[in-house]
Amino acid sequence: MISIKEVTKQTGVTVRTLRHYHQIGLLIPAGKTDGGHRLYGESELKKLQEIQFLKSLGFTLKEIDTMLVDEDHDWFSRLQGQLKYIIREKEKLDQMEKLITGLMNEFALEGKVDIHHIQQLTHFSQQNKFKRKEFLQQQFTEGKEKINELLPNINSGDPDTLEWVALLAQIKKHMAKGVDAIEVQRIIRRILEKDQELFEGNDELSNAFWEVRKSQEKSQSAGLYPIEQEVLDFLEQATEFFLKNEARNIGGKK
Amino acid sequence: MISIKEVTKQTGVTVRTLRHYHQIGLLIPAGKTDGGHRLYGESELKKLQEIQFLKSLGFTLKEIDTMLVDEDHDWFSRLQGQLKYIIREKEKLDQMEKLITGLMNEFALEGKVDIHHIQQLTHFSQQNKFKRKEFLQQQFTEGKEKINELLPNINSGDPDTLEWVALLAQIKKHMAKGVDAIEVQRIIRRILEKDQELFEGNDELSNAFWEVRKSQEKSQSAGLYPIEQEVLDFLEQATEFFLKNEARNIGGKK
DNA sequence: TCTTGATAGTGACGTTACGTCATTTTATAT
DNA sequence: ATATAAAATGACGTAACGTCACTATCAAGA
């Protein structure tokens, strides 16, 4: 049995929050002192953590209350609703991040940012809203189906499919473990070295491979900040210059 | 000069919102009818769009008010604050998306989700909070420096740097244009084919290349849903089987 | 036992960005 | 002129607490 202060120390929530949760009946202290001070036990701490977690998922306190009481509640539709919300928010955040870093760069370069750029960006930021959403929803609904499509090929022992899938599995495994990017790079290189013609012939496989990164590329493909665009232009000129004047020197160099 | 209803039709905001903005002095109608009905002009529509945009970035109406009035306001620090906020939110959303799709998969497979998994996931979701944040902040602060580091190499005409940078520029350009992933794939393949030893010798370059994708990988490396983990395990077994029994057949095949 | 500083309690009002009535007034079409 | 649509105003409600203001309790030392 610990005091309210101890709870705040261990969980980071404020006293006011705990009082509020008590007030609305969400988290009722295990007991009280003679004087009426709240006392919390282990199970209350656990429940508080669950509350914090569910809150971080965007659920309201009212919803959390029913969730923690009523076990037969309609989880799935609520999760689905949450997922939609998340998708929307991620789209927005992607846009925001890009715009803001762009504006910051501009600011850093010129010492000021004026409203004019914002006006231009406003239009832009109101496009590209549905692509990622559609992608993710389809990804979820079709995800299992796609795996099932691939499995027969794997089980039939088709070597092409098998090796591709094996290498892809390695990539994902390394990614999952947070291994050095260099390692992943090596694996990808192996794929590309060995399976050039395989990829070209088999659209399904190459599509599957690129789907892994599709959503990620989407966020990049939506546009670049002004500053980067300038750099890109410069680099493109450099490319042409290089390809025209220096291409031959590369093979024999180093 | 259009009516308030027209404004709502063109911008999607509600009448109440416009009244509210008027009330707090954020967006004052251009004029009124004899009877006192609000009338809005072109410039008000523009300003309203700016307000909507800034609001979507998370600024409060009070902040927006000063931003649209006071041009010497401290843009930069505010944007920086926003960026921090965005980074936090994206971390959370990444976690959420993963957890929720995981839970949905689980639900779809078993027809139910119990609180037990949530408890387990609670702990997990409270880790990995700082990696992406640190990365993005450092990315921004060091971003310009890195470009400046690279520029001398480019300008000096070092062919290795030049070609790498040129190809990288092509990738980014294609990504920016939303070109088929296949196209990007081809370019990457060119890089990897031509620059194997270049990459191996030059850690800085390869690091730079992978930083482009680092944040994206991070979100994948944080963990996988149960269903995917199972598939991975299966694929790993397939890998071993394949490498042991069928490896030799590949070279001569097709 | 008494005092005292820290901790805790209880209202009650403030906050954000509007939503939602309820009621009255104005504009528009017939 | 009148019916109907649109608009105005004022006021209360919402979510999740923050922030006083004031009172009461706890733990520890004198």
Side-chain angles (χ1 to χ4, degrees):
Chain A
M1 293 296 232
I2 59 177
S3 72
I4 200 170
K5 186 72 169 289
E6 260 303 304
V7 177
T8 67
K9 277 181 191 165
Q10 290 183 31
T11 64
V13 304
T14 68
V15 173
R16 181 66 178 90
T17 299
L18 290 169
R19 287 213 317 107
H20 185 58
Y21 290 171
H22 186 186
Q23 217 168 21
I24 65 177
L26 178 58
L27 182 65
I28 296 162
K32 302 184 186 187
T33 67
D34 293 344
H37 287 200
R38 293 170 177 84
L39 292 174
Y40 295 85
E42 272 301 316
S43 64
E44 280 73 30
L45 284 179
K46 262 190 189 171
K47 186 168 180 181
L48 180 55
Q49 282 190 329
E50 288 169 24
I51 292 168
Q52 293 298 105
F53 170 69
L54 291 172
K55 210 159 69 70
S56 80
L57 294 186
F59 293 105
T60 69
L61 296 184
K62 201 172 290 180
E63 285 174 326
I64 291 170
D65 197 20
T66 67
M67 285 163 92
L68 293 179
V69 167
D70 176 13
E71 282 201 56
D72 285 344
H73 215 265
D74 186 9
W75 276 84
F76 191 76
S77 67
R78 212 128 31 116
L79 289 173
Q80 206 166 25
Q82 276 314 111
L83 189 57
K84 283 179 193 166
Y85 170 74
I86 288 167
I87 288 162
R88 273 203 307 278
E89 288 310 298
K90 286 188 84 165
E91 289 163 11
K92 272 169 36 181
L93 289 174
D94 281 340
Q95 297 284 344
M96 287 159 68
E97 188 177 5
K98 237 172 287 166
L99 290 171
I100 285 180
T101 52
L103 288 170
M104 287 174 83
N105 276 331
E106 208 169 343
F107 187 96
L109 285 178
E110 305 179 3
K112 89 177 263 191
V113 176
D114 67 354
I115 204 71
H116 205 68
H117 294 100
I118 301 228
Q119 288 175 6
Q120 292 179 326
L121 290 170
T122 303
H123 174 66
F124 162 72
S125 76
Q126 279 165 351
Q127 303 175 321
N128 304 93
K129 280 198 174 176
F130 307 104
K131 292 178 186 174
R132 181 175 164 75
K133 183 176 179 177
E134 284 166 7
F135 171 70
L136 279 177
Q137 282 193 329
Q138 150 192 338
Q139 187 184 44
F140 173 72
T141 55
E142 296 179 8
K144 289 213 305 299
E145 295 168 20
K146 264 177 196 149
I147 287 170
N148 289 333
E149 278 175 24
L150 280 177
L151 281 177
N153 287 332
I154 295 168
N155 287 328
S156 73
D158 172 33
D160 285 348
T161 306
L162 251 186
E163 188 184 27
W164 173 78
V165 143
L167 290 169
L168 184 57
Q170 282 186 31
I171 289 181
K172 296 188 84 173
K173 224 181 111 196
H174 281 282
M175 283 176 150
K177 284 188 179 167
V179 168
D180 280 340
I182 302 281
E183 259 311 307
V184 181
Q185 173 193 354
R186 247 171 227 141
I187 296 168
I188 292 184
R189 195 183 296 156
R190 264 185 64 200
I191 289 183
L192 296 179
E193 280 168 16
K194 295 203 171 182
D195 294 338
Q196 275 186 57
E197 70 289 358
L198 188 152
F199 264 78
E200 259 149 33
N202 195 328
D203 277 352
E204 278 193 30
L205 284 185
S206 56
N207 280 340
F209 178 78
W210 286 100
E211 261 171 26
V212 175
R213 308 170 171 276
K214 204 167 168 185
S215 69
Q216 305 164 348
E217 282 158 10
K218 279 272 170 69
S219 71
Q220 290 252 346
S221 73
L224 295 168
Y225 343 135
I227 175 72
E228 287 211 37
Q229 188 57 54
E230 286 174 25
V231 176
L232 280 184
D233 292 339
F234 172 78
L235 293 180
E236 193 175 11
Q237 289 178 25
T239 309
E240 293 198 39
F241 172 81
F242 174 75
L243 291 176
K244 279 180 186 163
N245 296 14
E246 315 260 3
R248 253 145 284 141
N249 304 351
I250 294 203
K253 225 200 66 60
K254 184 169 185 169
Chain B
M1 292 299 232
I2 58 177
S3 72
I4 199 169
K5 187 71 169 291
E6 260 305 301
V7 176
T8 68
K9 277 182 191 165
Q10 290 183 31
T11 64
V13 303
T14 67
V15 174
R16 181 65 178 90
T17 299
L18 290 169
R19 288 213 317 107
H20 184 58
Y21 290 171
H22 186 187
Q23 216 167 20
I24 66 177
L26 179 58
L27 183 66
I28 296 161
K32 302 183 186 186
T33 66
D34 293 343
H37 286 198
R38 294 171 177 82
L39 292 174
Y40 295 85
E42 272 301 316
S43 63
E44 280 73 29
L45 284 179
K46 264 191 188 172
K47 187 169 179 179
L48 181 55
Q49 282 191 329
E50 288 167 24
I51 291 169
Q52 294 297 105
F53 169 69
L54 291 172
K55 211 158 68 68
S56 80
L57 294 185
F59 293 105
T60 68
L61 295 184
K62 201 172 290 179
E63 285 174 326
I64 291 170
D65 196 22
T66 66
M67 286 163 91
L68 293 179
V69 167
D70 176 13
E71 281 202 58
D72 287 344
H73 214 265
D74 187 10
W75 277 83
F76 189 75
S77 67
R78 214 130 28 119
L79 289 173
Q80 206 166 24
Q82 276 314 111
L83 190 56
K84 283 179 193 167
Y85 170 74
I86 289 166
I87 289 162
R88 272 202 307 278
E89 289 309 299
K90 287 188 84 164
E91 289 164 11
K92 272 169 34 183
L93 289 175
D94 280 341
Q95 297 285 343
M96 289 159 65
E97 186 176 7
K98 237 171 286 165
L99 288 172
I100 285 180
T101 52
L103 288 169
M104 287 175 83
N105 274 330
E106 209 170 344
F107 186 95
L109 287 178
E110 304 178 1
K112 89 175 261 192
V113 176
D114 68 352
I115 204 73
H116 205 68
H117 293 100
I118 300 232
Q119 287 175 5
Q120 292 179 327
L121 291 170
T122 303
H123 174 67
F124 163 71
S125 76
Q126 278 164 354
Q127 301 174 323
N128 305 91
K129 282 198 174 175
F130 307 103
K131 292 178 186 173
R132 182 176 164 75
K133 181 177 179 177
E134 282 167 7
F135 169 69
L136 279 177
Q137 281 193 330
Q138 149 192 338
Q139 188 184 44
F140 172 72
T141 56
E142 296 178 8
K144 288 211 311 300
E145 294 167 20
K146 264 177 197 148
I147 287 171
N148 290 333
E149 279 174 24
L150 281 178
L151 281 178
N153 286 333
I154 294 169
N155 287 329
S156 73
D158 173 33
D160 285 348
T161 306
L162 249 184
E163 188 184 25
W164 173 79
V165 142
L167 289 169
L168 183 59
Q170 283 187 30
I171 289 180
K172 297 188 81 173
K173 224 180 113 199
H174 280 282
M175 283 177 151
K177 284 187 180 166
V179 167
D180 279 342
I182 301 282
E183 259 310 308
V184 180
Q185 174 192 354
R186 246 172 227 139
I187 296 168
I188 291 183
R189 196 183 297 159
R190 266 183 64 200
I191 288 183
L192 296 180
E193 280 169 16
K194 294 203 174 183
D195 294 339
Q196 276 186 55
E197 70 291 355
L198 188 154
F199 264 78
E200 258 149 32
N202 195 329
D203 277 353
E204 278 190 34
L205 284 184
S206 56
N207 281 340
F209 177 77
W210 287 99
E211 263 171 26
V212 175
R213 307 168 171 272
K214 204 168 169 184
S215 69
Q216 305 165 346
E217 283 158 11
K218 278 273 169 69
S219 71
Q220 291 252 346
S221 72
L224 295 168
Y225 340 137
I227 177 75
E228 287 210 36
Q229 187 58 53
E230 285 174 26
V231 175
L232 279 185
D233 291 339
F234 173 77
L235 293 180
E236 192 175 11
Q237 289 178 25
T239 310
E240 293 196 40
F241 173 80
F242 174 76
L243 291 177
K244 279 180 186 164
N245 296 12
E246 315 260 3
R248 251 146 286 142
N249 304 352
I250 296 206
K253 224 200 67 64
K254 181 164 189 172

